[in-house]
Every structure is written in C-alpha cells, then in structure tokens.
C-alpha cells in the first residue's frame, strides 16, 4: 500500500457526512422508474449506485442524467477480464464523471494493479480527481456451499481475507464485502482503506437472493464507511421515510462510536 498517489483515506473519512454514507442502489429496469425513485429520494443522500441492470437497459447516458439531478455516481461496473482489456475499459470509464468504480478482485493482482495505474495516469494527465476503485470480494449472494461447489476448500471468510490483501497490495482504495466481514477486515488490515457493504437488510425485510446479510447498524458499528442499499429502500412503501430511517440508524451508530 506504499503508493504516493494513494487516496488519503483519513481525510475522505473525516469529510464523510451521514448522508454520504448511505448509497442507494438504483436497480430498476428503466429511466422512468429511475427518476421516479430519485424524485422520492429527494437528494437526501449524495450518491447513487448505477449497475448492470440500469446500464444494460438504458445505456451509459443514464450516468449523466442522474448526475444532472445532483447526485454523485458509484459505477458498479464489476470489471473482470484480462489486464489489457480492463485497462482499455478503464480508459473509457475515465471519460465519465463518476466518483467510484467497482472491479472484481477475482480478476487478480495484475488486473487490479493495471486498472489502478492506468486510472491514476489518466487522471493526472487530465488533472482530474481520480475516482475511487472498490474491489468486490465474494458476492453477498454466495455462501460456503456455493464456494464448495466451485471446488474451494476454504471458507468464504478466508477468501474475502485473501482477496482483500491482494486488492490492498495493488492500490485498491476500498473493499466491497458483506456486513458480516467488516470486523474481520478491520482487525486484519486496519483503517487505511474504505469499506462499502451491500447485503443490508432491516429486520422486517425479505432476504431475497442475498445470503450474507446483516443490518445497517452492524455494518456501521463494525467499521463500514458506506452501506449500499437497494430493494429495502426501493420496494418500501415510502422511499423517503425509509431513507430517513436508514440515516437515523447510521447517525445513532456513529454517535455510539467513541472514536469518532
Ligand atoms: O437490493 P439489494 O440491497 O440486495 O442490492 C444490493 C446491490 O449491491 C445490488 O445492486 C448488487 O448488484 C450489489 N452488490 C451485491 N453484492 C456484492 C457487490 C455488489 O449485492 N458483493
């Protein structure tokens, strides 16, 4: 992690307000539905995650449209391919105005390092703020049984640990993991990297396709910087009230943390 262009994680964290910490995952089939949700969200939060569903249905133009409504964008690109191909993709993404990008740690050390280096180079050349690269460890929809089926004879938590180590050694700014793994990652790797956790559910929510879930309180208490929430908010009877509820829970948890 010895890297002169490494993001200053401490100052990023210090500047995080409560409403920066809840990222809404805009998993909807089209533009119409997207703007309906955004209108209800009413800019109560700062960042929207745009992922495969919206991109493949509406194209990359949706990013600019969302940005025009005043939000920052986490592009959940989930990049994974050979290093050369990903470097090319990163060149394309660097033309977009996004704050965060996701990449699969399973693409391996060289892919992660190349992506990070090329992103840095381009941003220095263009004198533009470098988007943060977040490494996806093991999808929160998988558990030990799935990994056994793949032929892995170690627990997913060991894989999350290994993938995090590889990601951090190759300049990745943040890790995407389940809320159940945050504590383990903080204990093993400290605080000089960001953590964002999907797999967040309120007690009354349906689990649906996720397997490694937990509450917003658990994620924040254990040291997550961001929680990523989709269906729990989008499918709730009142999007605006549910966002307020999440923000209240995050605030309460942070106030309990004597270190902040
Ligand atoms: O609706 P829900 O809150 O379960 O959505 C979670 C979001 O986070 C989805 O957009 C999914 O693609 C994303 N995600 C995830 N698990 C990961 C990485 C990203 O669920 N490991």
């Amino acid at each position: 992690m010895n890297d002169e262009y490494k993001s200053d994680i401490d100052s990023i964290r210090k500047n995080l307000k409560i409403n920066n910490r809840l990222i809404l995952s805009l998993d909807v089939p089209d533009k119409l539905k997207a703007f309906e949700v955004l209108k209800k969200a009413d800019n109560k939060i700062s960042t929207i995650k745009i992922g495969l569903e919206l991109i493949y249905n509406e194209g990359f133009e949706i990013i600019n449209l969302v940005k025009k409504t005043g939000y920052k964008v986490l592009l959940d690109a989930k990049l994974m391919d050979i290093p050369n191909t990903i470097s090319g993709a990163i060149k394309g993404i660097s033309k977009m105005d996004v704050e965060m990008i996701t990449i699969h740690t399973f693409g391996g050390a060289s892919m992660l390092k190349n992506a990070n280096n090329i992103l840095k180079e381009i941003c220095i050349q263009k004198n533009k703020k470098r988007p943060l690269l977040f490494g996806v460890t093991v999808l929160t929809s998988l558990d030990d049984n799935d990994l056994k089926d793949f032929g892995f004879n170690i627990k997913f938590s060991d894989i999350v640990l290994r993938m995090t180590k590889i990601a951090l050694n190759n300049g990745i700014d943040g890790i995407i993991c389940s809320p159940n793994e945050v504590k383990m990652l903080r204990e093993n790797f400290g605080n000089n990297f960001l953590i964002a956790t999907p797999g967040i559910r309120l007690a009354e929510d349906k689990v649906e396709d996720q397997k490694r879930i937990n509450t917003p309180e658990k994620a924040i208490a254990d040291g997550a910087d961001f929680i990523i929430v989709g269906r729990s908010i989008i499918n709730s009877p009142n999007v605006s009230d549910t966002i307020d509820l999440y923000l209240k829970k995050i605030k309460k948890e942070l106030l309990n943390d004597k270190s902040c």
Side-chain angles (χ1 to χ4, degrees):
M1 275 192 271
N2 179 20
D3 181 341
E4 63 179 305
Y5 295 114
K6 177 105 180 87
S7 301
D8 182 350
I9 300 298
D10 272 350
S11 82
I12 292 174
R13 190 173 287 128
K14 246 182 233 154
N15 288 319
L16 283 181
K17 301 195 184 83
I18 306 288
N19 75 329
N20 305 136
R21 292 176 178 268
L22 172 60
I23 298 178
L24 176 62
S25 187
L26 200 53
D27 296 320
V28 291
D30 56 45
K31 222 167 15 192
L32 213 71
K33 182 72 186 158
F35 287 102
E36 205 180 285
V37 173
L38 291 182
K39 197 166 172 211
K40 289 180 190 163
D42 196 21
N43 293 84
K44 287 182 174 179
I45 52 169
S46 61
T47 309
I48 299 294
K49 179 173 90 66
I50 299 183
L52 302 181
E53 182 176 0
L54 204 45
I55 295 287
Y56 280 114
N57 279 291
E58 291 289 354
F60 286 106
E61 179 51 22
I62 191 72
I63 293 174
N64 289 332
L65 296 177
V66 169
K67 290 220 61 146
K68 275 188 192 146
T69 62
Y71 290 99
K72 294 178 183 170
V73 169
L74 185 176
L75 175 59
D76 194 10
K78 294 222 173 63
L79 299 170
M80 186 161 100
D81 209 315
I82 60 170
N84 183 56
T85 303
I86 292 304
S87 297
I90 286 281
K91 283 182 194 163
I93 292 173
S94 69
K95 293 177 193 154
M96 301 171 193
D97 196 7
V98 297
E99 270 73 21
M100 304 174 186
I101 304 166
T102 63
I103 184 163
H104 270 292
T105 54
F106 269 90
S110 305
M111 183 200 74
L112 296 168
K113 193 175 188 156
N114 277 20
N116 181 42
N117 287 343
I118 199 95
L119 190 61
K120 266 185 317 206
E121 266 171 40
I122 296 171
C123 293
I124 290 167
Q125 267 168 27
K126 292 187 180 169
N127 197 20
K128 129 178 201 190
K129 193 171 163 223
R130 182 170 71 82
L132 298 169
L133 266 183
F134 274 81
V136 178
T137 51
V138 181
L139 290 172
T140 42
S141 55
L142 302 175
D143 64 10
D144 278 335
N145 289 329
D146 295 292
L147 297 181
K148 215 153 120 200
D149 288 344
F150 295 163
F152 292 120
N153 282 324
I154 58 174
K155 285 182 168 299
F156 69 76
S157 50
D158 291 333
I159 299 183
V160 171
L161 269 182
R162 284 167 190 243
M163 301 322 288
T164 299
K165 189 173 176 191
I166 293 171
L168 298 179
N169 283 339
N170 288 283
I172 296 300
D173 306 292
I175 294 296
I176 310 266
C177 61
S178 105
N180 304 331
E181 290 126 33
V182 175
K183 197 164 184 220
M184 170 184 82
L185 294 189
R186 288 294 181 221
E187 280 169 4
N188 279 274
F189 302 109
N191 289 317
N192 197 22
F193 66 104
L194 298 165
I195 297 183
T197 67
I200 298 289
R201 293 290 183 272
L202 299 173
E204 61 272 26
D205 285 337
K206 288 189 198 135
V207 174
E208 298 182 270
D209 56 350
Q210 298 281 24
K211 288 184 182 159
R212 297 183 353 265
I213 55 159
N214 218 310
T215 59
E217 290 93 333
K218 165 82 176 157
I220 297 292
D222 284 356
D225 299 289
F226 305 96
I227 56 170
I228 298 173
V229 185
R231 287 163 290 186
S232 172
I233 292 176
I234 291 177
N235 297 341
S236 68
N238 187 320
V239 167
S240 177
D241 286 354
T242 311
I243 289 176
D244 286 340
L245 177 66
Y246 267 97
L247 293 175
K248 218 163 104 189
K249 284 176 184 287
I250 295 171
K251 187 173 179 185
K252 188 162 173 245
E253 218 41 69
L254 289 171
L255 290 177
N256 281 341
D257 180 354
K258 306 281 178 288
S259 68
C260 48

